[in-house]
Amino acid sequence: MKRASRNALQFYLLLLLTLLVCAFLIVPVLLSMLAGVTENFFVGLSSGFTLRWVMAVWETYEPTIWRSIVIALACLVVTALVGVPLAYMLARYRGGNSRLARLLEELLMMPVAVPGLATALALIMAYGQYRAFRGSLLFILVGHVLFTLPFMVRPVLAVMQSSQLALLEEAAASLGAGYWQRFCGVVIPNAMPGILAGALMVTTLSIGEFNITWMLHTPLTMTLPVGLADSYASMRLEVGSAYTLIFLFMIIPLLIAMQWVTQTTQARVRL
Amino acid sequence: MKTRRRGSNRHLWFCAAPAMTLFAAFWLLPMLRLVGVGASGPSGAMAYLAVLSNRHYLDSLVSTLLLSLTVTLVTLAIAAVVGLFLQRNRFPGKSLLMAMLTFPLAFPGVVVGFMVIMLAGRQGLIGALTDKLFGQSLVFAYSLAGLFLGYVYFSIPRVILTVMAAAEKLDPSLEEAARSLGANGLRVFADVVLPALTPALISSGAICFATSMGAFGTAFTLATKIDVLPMAIYNEFTSYANFSMAAALSIVLGLITWLALALARSLSGSSVPAAA
């Protein structure tokens, strides 16, 4: 009896802690969403709701939003085209258990393990003198691809390792399928859950990337997160909030899709 | 048979070539170049020791290290308790709670910085509450304390997810055995649950440490004068155009984060990813 009541007490204390942590994470998000549609946040909600700030953001920062979408999609295409074949190589080379494959995977992870600032500086020092490249969106795309590539390769590799790819391919080969036919007809369809998970991950990360982009951007290649930093530093709180609101609405569908993919395919997606 | 195998390996190399070329051209070679630039300043390769010999950089390094360590420990403590609780209990609204706890996962550092401003900034919630309660508003967003809050905010969702995944694999019969042998709840937690969670805690702690060391967006949003190493590098590069020093410092910073992750991986087993 005493023990049961103590367990109940423990449960409620832990629940309270969990709710507090949740409040810590969510309350600022809600506040910023509210501030983005409030006439004057300092006065409070009584000043009335407005879409003025959202419109203001749209007028000033519209190009950054389109740019971020374009870069994220381009990044997705490049990482898929380059990353899926690489994952295939890592899964199949010497039966998928070679030191070389592990070393490659390790190397590929480096742009994530090393701060984005270092990667960005390295890119600037090496390619900064090519003005046209330096000032184009391509320069930013390169940074994003380096950073997001492992997030495409790893889920695809995980799926390939868990499906008996070698066996399936052998069956296809015995029926007369060539390399290309096997890659498109067996490998790709089998790896699809991993590709889907990786694709969502890459897009989300690319839309939110700041550490590398901040050093690489020029006024003409400003992306959404760079614009956010700019608005936080130089605009009133309501404008920064409205801009954040737009950003949240862009990533929410991606997050929901990610949740859905993880639940339906059981592929582990991790940020 | 032998020739066929060699042929299939060549085909595999062809698959890896585009990604490897891209990586070599845009990461490996530029990084090597950066190492060279770091040694090209007036003090040559000694620039790499400036982090230790120069008072200003040493201060930045120490405060960054201390900040990252504190963030890691606090995050691990909170997230371990919450993660275990969520994994073991069912209650109405749990999935909604989980969704809210993992929502900030996708926030970039700048947005996290803005969330800290919403909480502890000049027009923030904590300021408004303390003003009502004590007649004086507490504002600490634009300092190291704000940065601490931001990094904890950023790290909690990640660690909670890792702890939950690890706790799912725990064998409940071990705990029952310990309990049947007379161990109380605390003993079971300390002797059975915690050791089983240790690999997950080490790996997610290392990721948390590495991000706190190298992150830059949050500090940038809060105040450019916060004295952490990434900010020092940024200022060397943009304000003083001291490229060689910026290069040397960022190589040192990169080595520290990479070492932390590699060390954690060797401690917790090879199944742990380098970063997630």
Side-chain angles (χ1 to χ4, degrees):
Chain A
M1 187 62 207
K2 201 177 152 202
R3 175 147 185 194
S5 72
R6 241 179 70 188
N7 277 348
L9 181 70
Q10 197 188 20
F11 173 83
Y12 284 112
L13 275 177
L14 288 174
L15 182 65
L16 185 71
L17 177 75
T18 307
L19 289 175
L20 276 176
V21 170
C22 190
F24 166 57
L25 295 177
I26 285 302
V27 165
V29 179
L30 296 178
L31 278 178
S32 115
M33 285 175 148
L34 267 180
V37 292
T38 308
E39 191 67 47
N40 184 331
F41 191 62
F42 191 65
V43 173
L45 297 182
S46 56
S47 62
F49 289 105
T50 177
L51 281 178
R52 204 171 110 203
W53 308 121
V54 179
M55 299 309 278
V57 169
W58 191 254
E59 266 163 38
T60 326
Y61 293 109
E62 191 199 335
T64 67
I65 297 168
W66 293 118
R67 228 173 263 139
S68 270
I69 293 175
V70 167
I71 289 184
L73 291 178
C75 189
L76 168 60
V77 171
V78 175
T79 49
L81 284 180
V82 167
V84 175
L86 178 69
Y88 174 67
M89 180 268 185
L90 295 175
R92 291 299 309 276
Y93 187 72
R94 305 240 161 121
N97 200 17
S98 72
R99 197 176 285 169
L100 182 90
R102 247 172 288 148
L103 183 78
L104 278 182
E105 208 190 336
E106 177 92 1
L107 261 180
L108 207 66
M109 220 43 223
M110 287 300 282
V112 181
V114 163
L117 202 57
T119 302
L121 278 181
L123 273 173
I124 291 175
M125 306 269 182
Y127 293 102
Q129 72 269 37
Y130 305 106
R131 291 281 153 208
F133 178 44
R134 171 79 178 86
S136 71
L137 277 184
L138 220 56
F139 200 49
I140 294 188
L141 179 64
V142 165
H144 283 210
V145 167
L146 288 175
F147 178 69
T148 54
L149 190 57
F151 295 96
M152 174 62 86
V153 172
R154 280 184 27 210
V156 176
L157 181 61
V159 172
M160 283 179 175
Q161 280 166 343
S162 63
S163 64
Q164 292 174 306
L165 209 57
L167 211 67
L168 290 172
E169 267 197 86
E170 213 159 300
S174 74
L175 294 171
Y179 282 136
W180 188 242
Q181 234 177 333
R182 264 156 33 202
F183 192 77
C184 293
V186 178
V187 176
I188 300 268
N190 265 293
M192 219 45 193
I195 297 176
L196 205 58
L200 288 166
M201 196 69 205
V202 165
T203 320
T204 314
L205 285 174
S206 168
I207 286 187
E209 213 298 317
F210 178 81
N211 288 337
I212 298 178
T213 321
W214 175 259
M215 299 298 282
L216 298 185
H217 91 278
T218 65
L220 289 176
T221 56
M222 196 192 260
T223 62
L224 203 163
V226 174
L228 276 174
D230 182 71
S231 77
Y232 295 157
S234 59
M235 303 273 187
R236 47 185 300 160
L237 189 77
E238 288 85 348
V239 175
S241 293
Y243 202 176
T244 313
L245 193 65
I246 294 179
F247 169 74
L248 293 180
F249 275 113
M250 282 171 69
I251 60 163
I252 285 174
L254 290 167
L255 292 178
I256 292 173
M258 223 185 278
Q259 200 94 35
W260 179 77
V261 169
T262 16
Q263 269 163 13
T264 47
T265 63
Q266 291 295 312
R268 285 281 296 279
V269 191
R270 295 169 74 199
L271 272 163
Chain B
M1 191 61 208
K2 187 126 196 197
T3 48
R4 212 197 120 203
R5 237 183 108 183
R6 201 176 297 147
S8 93
N9 268 349
R10 197 184 308 143
H11 155 78
L12 286 175
W13 280 114
F14 184 71
C15 281
M20 281 162 61
T21 315
L22 203 88
F23 184 79
F26 292 112
W27 198 84
L28 216 52
L29 293 178
M31 258 321 161
L32 290 175
R33 172 88 200 245
L34 192 66
V35 174
V37 171
S40 72
S43 54
M46 290 304 283
Y48 286 100
L49 293 177
V51 162
L52 298 176
S53 60
N54 179 313
R55 191 59 208 262
H56 174 61
Y57 302 137
L58 185 64
D59 283 351
S60 305
L61 177 68
V62 169
S63 62
T64 316
L65 280 171
L66 285 178
L67 172 74
S68 307
L69 277 175
T70 328
V71 166
T72 307
L73 292 177
V74 170
T75 307
L76 284 182
I78 296 174
V81 174
V82 171
L84 259 180
F85 172 76
L86 284 170
Q87 181 59 42
R88 304 214 154 165
N89 292 283
R90 277 165 197 279
F91 48 88
K94 183 181 157 185
S95 56
L96 180 70
L97 202 62
M98 279 297 302
M100 290 201 286
L101 281 169
T102 46
F103 181 50
L105 266 179
F107 289 4
V110 264
V111 173
V112 172
F114 192 61
M115 295 303 145
V116 173
I117 291 177
M118 276 292 160
L119 274 179
R122 267 173 228 108
Q123 300 180 45
L125 183 68
I126 294 177
L129 284 180
T130 46
D131 189 34
K132 265 215 183 94
L133 290 174
F134 311 111
Q136 196 169 25
S137 69
L138 177 67
V139 173
F140 60 88
Y142 316 98
S143 66
L144 217 52
L147 202 54
F148 167 79
L149 202 67
Y151 289 163
V152 171
Y153 185 99
F154 186 79
S155 308
I156 280 183
R158 259 152 261 262
V159 185
I160 286 183
L161 280 188
T162 320
V163 168
M164 284 184 72
E168 201 183 350
K169 297 195 193 93
L170 287 185
D171 185 359
S173 64
L174 287 178
E175 282 169 65
E176 272 162 40
R179 214 166 271 130
S180 76
L181 292 171
N184 61 19
L186 213 60
R187 274 298 288 279
V188 174
F189 180 76
D191 291 348
V192 179
V193 179
L194 211 52
L197 288 182
T198 303
L201 290 180
I202 290 179
S203 69
S204 55
I207 293 166
C208 175
F209 176 80
T211 16
S212 306
M213 284 298 295
F216 162 69
T218 313
F220 187 80
T221 305
L222 293 178
T224 36
K225 64 179 197 309
I226 295 182
D227 189 28
V228 287
L229 204 51
M231 265 352 262
I233 296 172
Y234 173 73
N235 287 329
E236 280 311 320
F237 186 74
T238 50
S239 315
Y240 315 123
N242 188 351
F243 298 150
S244 65
M245 202 60 227
L249 289 176
S250 53
I251 292 286
V252 170
L253 184 63
L255 272 178
I256 295 175
T257 58
W258 178 76
L259 266 177
L261 292 167
L263 192 73
R265 212 143 23 118
S266 68
L267 280 177
S268 62
S270 60
S271 64
V272 176

